[in-house]
Amino acid sequence: MAGSCDGSQSDQSSTFEPGIDNIYEAFICPLTKQVMQDPVTLENGQTFEREAIEKWFKECTQNGKPLLCPITSKQLSITDLSPSIALRDTIEEWRARNDCMKLDIARQSLYLGNAEANILSALKNVRDICRNMRLIKRRVRNPQLVRLVTDMLKSNSHEVRYKALQTLQVVVEEDEESKAIVAEGDTVRTIVKFLAKEPPKGREAAVSLLFELSKSELLCEKIGSIHGAILLLVGLTSSKSVNVSTVEKADLTLTNLERSEENVRQMASNGRLQPLLAKLLGGSPETKVSMASYLGELALNNDVKVVVANTVGSCLIDLMRSRDMRGAALGALNKISSFEGSAKVLIRTGLLPPLIKDLFYVGPNQLPIRLKEISATILANIVNIGYEFDKVCVGSHHQTLVSEDVVENLLLLISNTGPEIQGKLLEVLVGLTSCPNSVINVVSAIRNSGAIISLVQFVEVHDNDDLRLAAIKLLQNISPHMSEELANVLRGTVGQLRNLVAIVSESTTTITEDQAVAAGLLAELPERDWGLTQRLLGDGAFEKIISKIVLIRQGEIRGKRFERTFLEGLVKVLARITFALTKETQAVSFCRENNLASLFLDLLQSYSQDNIQMASAIALENLSLETKNLTMIPELPPPSYCVSIFSCLNKPPVVLGMCKIHQGICSLRDSFCLVEGQAVDKLVDLLDHENDKVVGPALAALSTLLEDGLEVENAVKLIVEADGLTPILNVLLENRTENLRIRAVWIVERILRVEDIARELGEEQNVTAALVDAFQNADFRTKQIAENALRHIDKIPNFSGIFIPPTMVK
């Protein structure tokens, strides 16, 4: 048995120490008044503790005094110190005999039913004896005593438990046998429990004891195997409520426990990741594989992923090159590549070239399918961060990830692998096509390789939702650039278009991402493609879309994440039928039967959704253009006989319900009349919108009331009554976009045909300046319209026959 200092004063035997054997005066050092450990004799025969007399001589020298004997005060001629071996042996025999007797007394006192004072005294004696034994390099093997002290950890007294912990710390120091005895049964579990349950000083003593035990390599795994041990120790190292000594001992204990790989894994799971990273960097090949594999299983927060990428990213990339290690490396890279910050670190570290090489390589050492799937997942993770991949070299010939041959290889790999890899590679292409700088390159590769047909076929996949969703996302991203090709493929088949409609119209109470993306793809198809519209109409797609729109607006279908984009897509798809009104009476009938004009008018007031307002205004423009063809012109009765003789009696018959603009019987439902639907006010409200893409369609819809063949003056009065004149002029004056200027010049010219307004506006210099600017700088047709407008306000001479304003082509 050996002891170690626990931070308290050593209780050395003194002259007044109650001993079991008498303490002889010769045992006591005259200077220290304590039993000597290393007695030495001077020339005059006086005996002292070596350390004490050496200190006496040093003080004499420093004070310039002669070297005197501390007892006789006589000067010494020589200061040689002779070891008193016989006395030392006698003292040791006395001490050993005395210690054994004290230990016997301690054994008799260490039981839980004894008085607390007796137990504490016995524990103190055990500590003192162990320290003395350590000083004289002697041990007494006493397993029974160790077990008795260990039993004191079960005491109800905090003080007894605290002193028992301190005593055990002294007992086990540098003594493997004592450590093994302490580790028997549930003792280690009890000590670990004290880390959480004891008062601060007991917690500190428990940590100190665990530190001593952890010096034994055999006990490291046992300590780590105790449920919660490592978690509690890790918690203490970061705690601000415990003293510095406890924090340091907890940290040192964990450092000792790092000798076990299982402990290292547990530490990583509990937030102490550095030991695992250190072993990954400097361990044996087997250890590196083990640590990388576990790293791939850990749940890491985003900040930690960046730390891991910076610390071991390069190491993991190197491990990828080893056939036996690349599986573990890929698993870890998959874990840390899922955050933008860590993914950027991996890109800069050089992950992409070996990753692409492994994906594309075919040969004896090619990646197994399982690892190719992980590689594809890593690539998808990285691409989805939106990096400038057109500037990152991935091949030996300076290709980038968006180089045409690389994209074509990705497309080829998609066509020759299984669903899981296909889904991830499609996600890669989704990421690349989400970036404006790279979408054109991908579109070019798809177009040149003829891959559009195979990509569209994924829409029909029913047993892999992720694969289908990735395909639809990709098609939606490329649709602005390949809308005609997409339309041709969808028009030439039956399944894909119906599948898209089926996804959109799926009966759910929560809007899914699949539905939102499918609706977005359908919305991007060419709106004037009558063949597609006819197919959708024949399949009942528009009725299903109307039903979905109504259910969303009624709150019966919800989905905060995708509701906005889903509704926008639905409205845009529904609006496409209004582009077919001039081609097919079936489209007119459908709009009438479903009262689409009223629905779009309601949607016009979706104030927080610009795209819905824009699509609704466009649809209302298309519907309103058909009003003049659908207005019922009443048949007037022939004039009476008297009227035919006396023309002065001729008065035009009064027909009730006549539209002031279309001069016939109109309604919002049957003839799509904006006037009868009281839409003018709502359209005027949109003219102040900050989004030009909303203002333009609203202005265009109002323009349909000013077409040739209609009662333009009455239409102008309606617009003025709706306070629309000022916002229309503001659109002209602000000159926000060329398209808005063209529309504003056209509508202002129509308004200026009303003489009273022309007279009033002729005095407005800013209006004149805006028209002059259009006359000088706009396109040819707009110049002509601006010229005519300037004539209305007498800014240009009105020479007869010089100009007949053409109808504006919409």
Side-chain angles (χ1 to χ4, degrees):
M1 215 172 16
S4 71
C5 183
D6 61 359
S8 61
Q9 280 282 350
S10 177
D11 305 316
Q12 297 289 340
S13 300
S14 70
T15 306
F16 308 104
E17 178 187 9
I20 297 173
D21 274 357
N22 291 328
I23 301 177
Y24 299 97
E25 185 177 353
F27 293 178
I28 305 299
C29 173
L31 291 175
T32 65
K33 309 303 182 186
Q34 293 179 344
V35 177
M36 291 180 284
Q37 301 281 352
D38 186 10
V40 292
T41 304
L42 301 180
E43 64 173 341
N44 61 5
Q46 297 294 327
T47 302
F48 300 91
E49 180 72 59
R50 179 187 294 275
E51 185 178 344
I53 192 63
E54 286 177 345
K55 181 180 179 183
W56 168 269
F57 288 161
K58 183 177 181 182
E59 288 176 352
C60 289
T61 302
Q62 289 176 343
N63 294 327
K65 296 179 180 181
L67 299 179
L68 303 176
C69 173
I71 302 299
T72 64
S73 297
K74 294 182 179 180
Q75 187 169 352
L76 300 170
S77 58
I78 58 173
T79 59
D80 291 345
L81 303 176
S82 302
S84 183
I85 297 174
L87 179 59
R88 185 185 64 192
D89 291 344
T90 302
I91 291 173
E92 285 188 6
E93 288 176 7
W94 169 86
R95 195 189 301 275
R97 186 172 60 254
N98 209 20
D99 286 348
C100 287
M101 298 177 71
K102 284 185 178 181
L103 289 176
D104 285 337
I105 295 173
R107 278 195 295 271
Q108 297 170 24
S109 300
L110 292 175
Y111 61 91
L112 293 175
N114 199 1
E116 182 175 322
N118 293 337
I119 295 174
L120 292 175
S121 177
L123 290 173
K124 177 180 181 300
N125 283 333
V126 173
R127 289 195 302 276
D128 292 343
I129 292 168
C130 288
R131 291 192 187 101
N132 290 335
M133 289 180 176
R134 182 193 63 190
L135 290 173
I136 61 178
K137 304 294 188 292
R138 180 170 58 82
R139 294 175 181 160
V140 174
R141 305 294 179 187
N142 199 326
Q144 180 192 10
L145 183 63
V146 177
R147 293 186 178 96
L148 289 173
V149 175
T150 301
D151 285 342
M152 295 304 101
L153 297 178
K154 302 173 185 177
S155 171
N156 292 326
S157 166
H158 286 300
E159 188 66 20
V160 169
R161 295 198 297 269
Y162 168 56
K163 291 300 181 180
L165 288 167
Q166 282 191 325
T167 304
L168 286 173
Q169 179 193 345
V170 176
V171 167
V172 302
E173 184 177 307
E174 299 179 5
D175 188 344
E176 294 297 318
E177 284 189 24
S178 295
K179 289 177 183 178
I181 295 169
V182 171
E184 291 174 351
D186 281 345
T187 305
V188 177
R189 186 184 303 276
T190 301
I191 298 169
V192 169
K193 181 180 68 176
F194 290 162
L195 297 180
K197 300 292 185 181
E198 286 295 286
K201 66 178 185 178
R203 186 185 305 128
E204 181 178 2
V207 172
S208 297
L209 177 53
L210 280 177
F211 170 59
E212 289 299 330
L213 294 176
S214 70
K215 293 178 181 178
S216 168
E217 189 169 352
L218 294 175
L219 293 183
C220 284
E221 288 193 10
K222 178 154 190 173
I223 295 172
S225 68
I226 304 299
H227 179 68
I230 288 178
L231 175 60
L232 289 170
L233 287 167
V234 170
L236 288 175
T237 61
S238 59
S239 175
K240 296 181 180 179
S241 61
V242 298
N243 60 41
V244 175
S245 175
T246 302
V247 172
E248 290 177 349
K249 283 291 176 65
D251 190 68
L252 290 170
T253 303
L254 287 168
T255 300
N256 288 339
L257 296 182
E258 290 173 14
R259 287 175 289 187
S260 162
E261 286 190 11
E262 178 56 34
N263 290 343
V264 169
R265 285 190 281 269
Q266 281 197 59
M267 291 177 200
S269 297
N270 291 296
R272 189 180 174 95
L273 198 61
Q274 201 56 43
L276 184 146
L277 301 182
K279 288 187 178 294
L280 183 53
L281 289 171
S284 65
E286 294 77 12
T287 298
K288 288 183 177 183
V289 170
S290 174
M291 295 298 105
S293 297
Y294 194 70
L295 184 60
E297 299 171 6
L298 283 174
L300 306 175
N301 66 42
N302 290 336
D303 290 340
V304 172
K305 289 177 184 177
V306 176
V307 172
V308 173
N310 278 310
T311 306
V312 298
S314 179
C315 174
L316 291 171
I317 293 171
D318 288 339
L319 294 182
M320 284 174 58
R321 298 181 172 91
S322 169
R323 182 173 184 178
D324 297 330
M325 298 182 181
R326 59 189 180 186
L330 287 171
L333 288 167
N334 182 29
K335 178 66 66 174
I336 63 176
S337 64
S338 57
F339 174 61
E340 179 179 351
S342 50
K344 287 181 178 178
V345 172
L346 294 175
I347 293 171
R348 292 193 295 268
T349 308
L351 172 61
L352 283 178
L355 193 67
I356 294 297
K357 180 180 178 181
D358 283 349
L359 270 174
F360 292 164
Y361 177 74
V362 177
N365 291 320
Q366 67 180 353
L367 283 180
I369 293 298
R370 178 183 61 84
L371 296 185
K372 277 202 173 184
E373 181 183 337
I374 298 175
S375 297
T377 304
I378 296 170
L379 187 58
N381 290 341
I382 289 176
V383 168
N384 283 326
I385 69 172
Y387 204 80
E388 293 181 334
F389 292 104
D390 55 334
K391 298 179 181 177
V392 180
C393 180
V394 300
S396 57
H397 296 90
H398 305 290
Q399 303 102 316
T400 68
L401 200 54
V402 295
S403 295
E404 188 164 322
D405 58 337
V406 175
V407 177
E408 287 183 356
N409 277 328
L410 285 172
L411 293 168
L412 183 63
L413 193 56
I414 289 171
S415 63
N416 292 305
T417 54
E420 299 305 322
I421 298 179
Q422 287 174 328
K424 294 303 178 182
L425 294 180
L426 285 172
E427 286 182 22
V428 171
L429 294 178
V430 169
L432 294 177
T433 53
S434 298
C435 178
N437 294 335
S438 57
V439 61
I440 299 300
N441 301 64
V442 178
V443 167
S444 176
I446 292 174
R447 183 176 284 127
N448 293 338
S449 63
I452 187 65
I453 296 175
S454 60
L455 292 176
V456 170
Q457 288 174 349
F458 285 112
V459 173
E460 292 187 272
V461 172
H462 294 288
D463 55 353
N464 191 320
D465 292 342
D466 292 338
L467 175 58
R468 184 180 67 180
L469 176 59
I472 298 173
K473 281 183 176 180
L474 174 59
L475 295 174
Q476 184 186 15
N477 286 353
I478 65 175
S479 58
H481 310 278
M482 300 186 70
S483 57
E484 294 297 334
E485 291 98 321
L486 266 173
N488 289 338
V489 175
L490 290 172
R491 198 187 319 107
T493 60
V494 177
Q496 290 94 350
L497 193 60
R498 284 183 179 172
N499 266 289
L500 288 172
V501 174
I503 295 169
V504 168
S505 58
E506 187 178 356
S507 179
T508 59
T509 56
T510 303
I511 299 167
T512 65
E513 186 178 11
D514 296 59
Q515 289 178 307
V517 175
L521 174 56
L522 288 171
E524 291 292 341
L525 297 175
E527 55 200 11
R528 298 182 185 275
D529 190 316
W530 168 235
L532 278 177
T533 302
Q534 195 172 35
R535 179 74 64 80
L536 292 170
L537 190 60
D539 289 343
F542 293 114
E543 289 94 331
K544 296 172 184 175
I545 288 171
I546 291 171
S547 175
K548 284 290 182 183
I549 293 173
V550 171
L551 290 173
I552 292 173
R553 288 175 62 78
Q554 290 175 347
E556 295 184 29
I557 300 178
R558 298 181 180 275
K560 291 182 180 179
R561 187 176 175 189
F562 303 113
E563 181 176 324
R564 183 187 185 96
T565 53
F566 186 44
L567 185 56
E568 287 177 359
L570 292 176
V571 174
K572 287 184 71 175
V573 176
L574 184 60
R576 73 177 293 123
I577 198 170
T578 66
F579 288 91
L581 297 174
T582 59
K583 296 180 178 291
E584 181 60 53
T585 57
Q586 186 183 357
V588 174
S589 299
F590 179 86
C591 292
R592 282 174 163 172
E593 291 167 5
N594 292 279
N595 199 8
L596 281 198
S598 177
L599 177 58
F600 283 120
L601 198 55
D602 289 340
L603 290 166
L604 202 64
Q605 299 175 81
S606 301
Y607 297 114
S608 62
Q609 294 181 265
D610 296 2
N611 289 335
I612 291 178
Q613 290 178 317
M614 177 181 68
S616 300
I618 290 172
L620 288 171
E621 176 195 4
N622 294 337
L623 290 166
S624 182
L625 286 172
E626 285 300 300
T627 303
K628 60 186 176 182
N629 301 322
L630 302 174
T631 300
M632 292 179 58
I633 306 299
E635 293 185 8
L636 300 178
S640 65
Y641 176 75
C642 293
V643 170
S644 63
I645 296 176
F646 303 102
S647 58
C648 61
L649 299 177
N650 187 18
K651 292 181 180 180
V654 177
V655 181
L656 298 177
M658 288 277 284
C659 176
K660 296 179 180 179
I661 309 300
H662 301 101
Q663 294 298 297
I665 306 299
C666 286
S667 71
L668 182 63
R669 183 185 189 97
D670 293 326
S671 63
F672 319 135
C673 178
L674 299 183
V675 178
E676 294 300 318
Q678 300 180 343
V680 176
D681 290 348
K682 298 180 178 65
L683 291 168
V684 166
D685 288 342
L686 294 182
L687 297 181
D688 289 325
H689 204 288
E690 61 183 15
N691 190 340
D692 299 339
K693 294 181 178 180
V694 175
V695 176
L699 203 60
L702 286 171
S703 299
T704 61
L705 302 178
L706 302 171
E707 290 281 339
D708 290 335
L710 304 181
E711 291 294 326
V712 173
E713 187 168 346
N714 288 339
V716 171
K717 289 179 181 179
L718 278 176
I719 293 172
V720 171
E721 289 171 2
D723 295 326
L725 184 57
T726 299
I728 288 173
L729 292 174
N730 287 339
V731 174
L732 173 68
L733 298 174
E734 290 169 5
N735 197 15
R736 287 151 70 172
T737 67
E738 186 62 22
N739 183 55
L740 283 182
R741 176 161 76 168
I742 292 171
R743 292 191 179 279
V745 169
W746 188 91
I747 199 170
V748 166
E749 188 275 329
R750 295 291 169 130
I751 291 173
L752 291 177
R753 293 181 185 184
V754 179
E755 292 183 5
D756 292 343
I757 296 178
R759 193 180 305 113
E760 180 181 346
L761 293 181
E763 303 300 322
E764 298 287 340
Q765 293 185 1
N766 52 355
V767 174
T768 301
L771 290 172
V772 169
D773 181 64
F775 174 66
Q776 293 175 340
N777 301 310
D779 62 84
F780 176 73
R781 180 175 292 279
T782 305
K783 284 182 179 181
Q784 291 180 316
I785 297 171
E787 179 183 357
N788 204 37
L790 289 168
R791 284 197 177 89
H792 294 323
I793 56 176
D794 293 331
K795 300 302 179 183
I796 292 180
N798 190 12
F799 299 109
S800 176
I802 203 169
F803 170 66
I804 300 176
T807 301
M808 182 177 179
V809 178
K810 306 296 281 203

